[in-house]
Amino acid sequence: MWTGLRRRCQALGLCLTSTLMAGPTRARAFSPWQCSGASNEELVRNLAAGHIVKTEIVERSMLATDRALFVPEEQKAHSYEDSPQFLGFPQATISAPHMHAAALEYIVPSLEARAAAGAPCRVLDVGSGSGYLLAAAYRLGTELCGHGNCQVVGIEIHEGLAAASVANLIADGLSAEIDAGAIRVEAGNAWDGPAGGGAADAEEDQLFDAIHIGASAPQVPEKLAALLRPGTGTLVVPLGPERGAQQLVRV
């Protein structure tokens, strides 16, 4: 599988790295799946103690984004567990916090590159679910690139969940950013990319500096990879069978 995957990435001019995130390990305390806390702050501090949260900027973005605001009412008691929670729609969960932390760490270099160039940054979350990663990525991008210079776009196949995620983002104090278009949520087929531009006709302002895919995929989705900004863009996706071992892959 990996040989063919590397060839496809090379054809797109991408490089590939991976981290195994498939399940519990026997590593020391605060390894993935073992970072649960009694509060959002304790959860994030445990992720940092386990070196899953590696940078202060990701730590700040996760501390500022209370996971309880993005978990359904019936799951509130589990808000700060380091595990996924069901969102009430078919095959829809909010990812485990260690997965969100790893994804945010992966996209930092691409956003830093845009900040160094004095340019705005754009992030796409495919299968945006509860909206948690949109909120955390927006805070991350805004701190790096400046207020008004970050846009995050979420695509969610379940229309009801897309609407619920907007309510979650408003509860998180981001209604002005939604009104301004800095945070956008679309209901639709995530694999087709966002409305207003496909991979074949993407203009400069339609490209993304980071693309996160929440659902597992059997291979890197080339249509979405083609929406990355050349040279600096990063795509993060869990590769593997839906109910089998997966690799969190960065291309």
Side-chain angles (χ1 to χ4, degrees), residues 21-207:
M21 303 290 284
T25 70
R26 295 184 180 180
R28 58 185 173 80
F30 302 132
S31 60
W33 307 95
Q34 299 175 342
C35 296
S36 301
S39 65
N40 192 63
E41 180 176 0
E42 185 177 0
L43 168 65
V44 177
R45 300 298 187 205
N46 289 345
L47 289 164
H51 304 290
I52 300 164
V53 168
K54 303 176 188 297
T55 59
E56 291 183 0
I57 193 167
V58 167
E59 185 173 5
R60 287 193 294 271
S61 73
M62 293 186 73
L63 285 171
T65 308
D66 191 338
R67 194 168 184 267
L69 296 174
F70 297 87
V71 172
E73 194 62 40
E74 61 273 17
Q75 298 281 353
K76 292 292 187 189
H78 307 288
S79 295
Y80 307 122
E81 291 181 4
D82 192 13
S83 62
Q85 275 82 48
F86 184 54
L87 292 175
F89 293 82
Q91 298 180 317
T93 62
I94 178 172
S95 296
H98 68 262
M99 293 291 280
H100 280 148
L104 290 167
E105 290 288 355
Y106 269 162
I107 71 174
V108 166
S110 291
L111 304 189
E112 286 179 331
R114 292 294 284 173
C121 59
R122 299 186 78 220
V123 178
L124 174 64
D125 187 17
V126 176
S128 52
S130 69
Y132 174 89
L133 196 78
L134 292 174
Y138 176 77
R139 292 184 167 110
L140 183 66
T142 296
E143 182 173 344
L144 284 168
C145 296
H147 185 74
N149 287 321
C150 177
Q151 183 188 44
V152 296
V153 179
I155 309 176
E156 173 52 51
I157 196 166
H158 299 292
E159 187 173 352
L161 185 52
S165 74
V166 172
N168 294 341
L169 291 160
I170 291 171
D172 194 27
L174 295 168
S175 87
E177 289 77 3
I178 293 170
D179 291 344
I183 300 177
R184 197 172 88 218
V185 180
E186 300 176 5
N189 186 341
W191 302 110
D192 288 340
D201 59 353
E203 302 292 339
E204 170 68 18
D205 62 355
Q206 295 172 337
L207 296 174

Side-chain angles (χ1 to χ4, degrees), residues 3-41:
T3 299
L5 176 57
R6 287 192 179 93
R7 287 174 180 165
R8 286 191 293 274
C9 289
Q10 289 167 356
L12 287 166
L14 305 170
C15 61
L16 178 150
T17 59
S18 66
T19 301
L20 183 64
M21 303 290 284
T25 70
R26 295 184 180 180
R28 58 185 173 80
F30 302 132
S31 60
W33 307 95
Q34 299 175 342
C35 296
S36 301
S39 65
N40 192 63
E41 180 176 0

